[in-house]
Amino acid sequence: MRAFIFPGQGSQAVGMGQALFDASPVAREVFGEVDEALGQNLRRLMAEGPADALTLTENAQPAIMANAIATLRVLVREGHVTLADKADYVAGHSLGEYSALCAAEALDLSTTARLLKLRGRAMQAAVPVGEGAMAALLGADVEKAQVIAGAAVDSILAEGGEELVCTVANDNDPSQVVISGHRVAVERAVALAKEMGARRAVLLPVSAPFHCALMEDAATAMEAALADADLRAPLVPVFANVDAAAVADAGAIRRLLVEQVTGRVRWRESVLAMAAAGVTEFVEFGGKVLSPMVKRIVPDAEAISVVTMDDIEALLKRM
């Protein structure tokens, strides 16, 4: 059994998608449709930068999706295959869940692009710049990371400070967990991490504290947007971030996407659940971020990254 998986924020880079654009009219069609839906030349920004503009959440999210869907559609159309025949499940990391839903035709491409543009803007606006932060704890599992986050909040309270948010945002793999919340609390957690058993703690270069309670306003905005979106049952079930379980009902997917804004990305559990369901091959489209995580979660699984035309041709030979 095979799962198609789609990366999240952090996988963007200037030049992304350019080789596909040059090589394939199918890819050009995808990028053109996204540009038209957004009313901006996102493809040029992806190709030429500047990097700081591409990294802006409202640009990075639709750009990563566009690159992943372009890669998949080249495989499907030029390889004359169908997703439903070649994949048993789809899944994505954070914004990658929208890519997965687009891949499985639960959302059309234009709608997906507009939802991600709105999602990026809403997440950025939810917390004033500088008040939130995220950090990666390396060499710490999810239980240890939550203890470290809690200790940071408790130590600030013990000093007479107010109760702040600091919690696990992304359970990526057995050795990499991301925490999110108020900057003061996250920085305190980073300072405590090594003495509490983490190998290393690193503040992430992000502009907002994603996947925590501080994103409540963004969740409200997405609830309104998703209520109006044409969202259908996917061709194959999607493993949702917030409950690490397969779902195929459009109403349930809509609800889970809203919960995802403030909820934990349970990627490690999702991969374990897919493996338990029989998945032995994971194919990542448009990035090389999730595949190494998969190997750390399920060492016996096949994990393949598909980014270039050569990668697409190699995958077609495997199928």
Side-chain angles (χ1 to χ4, degrees), residues 16-71:
M16 64 191 296
Q18 184 62 47
L20 277 182
F21 180 89
D22 291 340
S24 170
V26 174
R28 290 194 287 275
E29 180 183 312
V30 170
F31 293 127
E33 185 175 338
V34 170
D35 279 1
E36 184 175 349
L38 299 181
Q40 73 174 112
N41 197 332
L42 183 64
R43 195 208 69 80
R44 179 178 292 173
L45 178 61
M46 293 164 66
E48 302 174 7
D52 57 348
L54 179 59
T55 302
L56 285 174
T57 303
E58 66 175 80
N59 292 326
Q61 294 199 20
I64 291 163
M65 180 278 298
N67 187 51
I69 295 301
T71 310

Side-chain angles (χ1 to χ4, degrees), residues 79-317:
H80 306 291
V81 298
T82 65
L83 179 141
D85 285 341
K86 298 301 181 183
D88 300 282
Y89 299 103
V90 293
H93 189 284
S94 190
L95 81 90
E97 193 164 310
Y98 285 80
S99 305
L101 290 166
C102 181
E105 299 182 23
L107 291 167
D108 66 49
L109 179 60
S110 294
T111 299
T112 308
R114 287 191 290 266
L115 284 171
L116 285 173
K117 187 76 171 179
L118 172 65
R119 184 176 183 267
R121 284 176 172 166
M123 291 174 117
Q124 183 63 63
V127 179
V129 174
E131 286 192 13
M134 300 181 78
L137 304 185
L138 307 178
D141 61 18
V142 66
E143 289 81 11
K144 184 177 290 183
Q146 193 59 58
V147 169
I148 293 169
V153 172
D154 291 344
S155 68
I156 292 168
L157 279 171
E159 294 169 359
E162 61 181 317
E163 184 161 0
L164 301 176
V165 171
C166 185
T167 190
V168 170
N170 302 346
D171 178 10
N172 286 336
D173 67 41
S175 63
Q176 184 194 113
V177 178
V178 174
I179 58 173
S180 181
H182 288 102
R183 175 170 289 276
V184 172
V186 172
E187 288 177 344
R188 180 66 60 90
V190 168
L192 293 172
K194 200 161 187 181
E195 67 186 68
M196 294 187 69
R199 187 175 74 252
R200 190 175 171 218
V202 185
L203 282 168
L204 297 177
V206 296
S207 53
F210 306 135
H211 298 293
C212 75
L214 299 180
M215 290 286 108
E216 191 59 50
D217 286 351
T220 301
M222 290 311 298
E223 183 175 22
L226 285 161
D228 293 334
D230 181 13
L231 197 157
R232 303 169 295 280
L235 296 176
V236 298
V238 58
F239 270 81
N241 283 189
V242 296
D243 63 2
V247 59
D249 175 74
I253 290 169
R254 205 183 302 269
R255 172 180 56 80
L256 290 165
L257 287 175
V258 175
E259 293 178 10
Q260 189 220 61
V261 179
T262 56
R264 180 182 300 177
V265 175
R266 295 167 62 183
W267 184 251
R268 177 185 60 86
E269 292 176 79
S270 296
V271 172
L272 287 172
M274 284 185 272
V279 173
T280 57
E281 184 175 282
F282 295 80
V283 182
E284 177 182 4
F285 287 89
K288 297 182 178 182
V289 177
L290 299 181
S291 301
M293 291 183 192
V294 167
K295 292 296 290 182
R296 289 191 288 270
I297 298 165
V298 187
D300 293 338
E302 289 285 338
I304 303 162
S305 295
V306 181
V307 177
T308 66
M309 291 296 291
D310 287 345
D311 295 338
I312 292 168
E313 291 169 10
L315 178 59
L316 281 168
K317 289 176 182 175

